[in-house]
């Protein structure tokens, strides 16, 4: 058994383990032998299958314990304060964009968000190219005014 395992696994330690496991399986499963083939053929198949199990377990263990390479890239979202500020900015931009007339919002989103050329925007929306350019200008101007205006101060209660 050990010779077959060594031939398959190519590692003496793993071959000994597989041979021992094969012996345990032989004792447990000898009652399953039906005599439809030679006993040596049945035993050989038992050893080969055990070797496959050992090889698969070894491969899985190596895969789990593979060291990870150190990632030296700087995280773009590593600063929670910056991530929160960007999230708030995106939310505010979305709100402001929703307040624009729909045609302006569509043109601004297509042009500035997806970099779609004005001739394609014209075909997609049915607007003339000049009108699409005008809507983009007006929409950007409105968004710029809304986004650059600081939020109104919160009212504070006077101490009693």
């Amino acid at each position: 058994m050990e010779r077959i395992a060594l031939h398959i696994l190519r590692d003496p330690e793993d071959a000994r383990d597989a041979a021992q496991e094969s012996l345990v399986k032989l004792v447990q499963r000898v009652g399953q032998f039906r005599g439809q083939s030679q006993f040596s053929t049945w035993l050989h198949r038992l050893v080969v299958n055990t070797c496959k199990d050992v090889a698969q377990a070894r491969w899985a263990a190596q895969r789990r314990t593979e060291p990870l390479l150190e990632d030296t890239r700087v995280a773009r979202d590593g600063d929670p304060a910056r991530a929160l500020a960007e999230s708030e900015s995106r939310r505010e931009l979305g709100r402001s964009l929703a307040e624009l007339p729909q045609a302006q919002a569509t043109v601004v989103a297509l042009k500035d968000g997806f970099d779609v050329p004005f001739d394609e925007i014209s075909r997609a929306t049915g607007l003339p190219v000049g009108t699409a350019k005008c809507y983009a200008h007006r929409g950007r101007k409105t968004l710029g005014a809304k986004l650059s205006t600081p939020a109104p101060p919160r009212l504070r209660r006077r101490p009693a």
Side-chain angles (χ1 to χ4, degrees):
M1 282 193 275
E2 190 172 342
R3 194 176 333 152
I4 296 169
L6 182 59
H7 178 73
I8 294 171
L9 295 172
R10 307 273 188 219
D11 180 18
E13 188 67 32
D14 287 341
R16 279 191 290 278
D17 289 345
Q20 287 178 355
E21 285 185 42
S22 296
L23 188 59
V24 170
K25 287 181 181 180
L26 172 66
V27 170
Q28 291 173 343
R29 298 180 184 172
V30 75
Q32 294 176 359
F33 178 64
R34 291 178 284 188
Q36 293 175 342
S37 63
Q38 291 186 351
F39 183 76
S40 60
T41 305
W42 182 81
L43 181 60
H44 184 270
R45 180 54 34 204
L46 183 92
V47 173
V48 169
N49 288 341
T50 303
C51 289
K52 285 181 180 179
D53 294 342
V54 168
Q56 187 175 9
R58 179 181 55 188
W59 179 76
Q62 286 175 348
R63 206 168 147 214
R64 278 192 301 261
T65 60
E66 235 177 62
L68 296 175
L69 299 175
E70 184 177 346
D71 189 0
T72 57
R73 296 176 295 171
V74 177
R76 290 178 43 211
D77 59 344
D79 182 12
R82 180 178 173 197
L84 178 64
E86 288 174 354
S87 174
E88 289 296 322
S89 295
R90 282 191 299 273
R91 191 175 298 121
E92 184 61 30
L93 176 62
R95 273 191 231 120
S96 298
L97 197 58
E99 292 174 3
L100 290 178
Q102 185 166 356
Q104 284 183 13
T106 302
V107 171
V108 169
L110 289 172
K111 182 63 184 161
D112 296 335
F114 298 103
D115 200 26
V116 177
F118 281 114
D119 59 331
E120 288 184 34
I121 293 173
S122 173
R123 282 194 301 272
T125 61
L127 297 171
V129 173
T131 305
K133 288 180 179 181
C134 179
Y135 282 3
H137 174 74
R138 287 181 187 168
R140 289 177 189 142
K141 188 174 179 181
T142 304
L143 285 175
K146 286 183 179 189
L147 295 174
S148 64
T149 306
R154 293 184 180 176
L155 297 176
R156 295 185 199 169
R157 291 186 180 179
R158 292 186 180 175

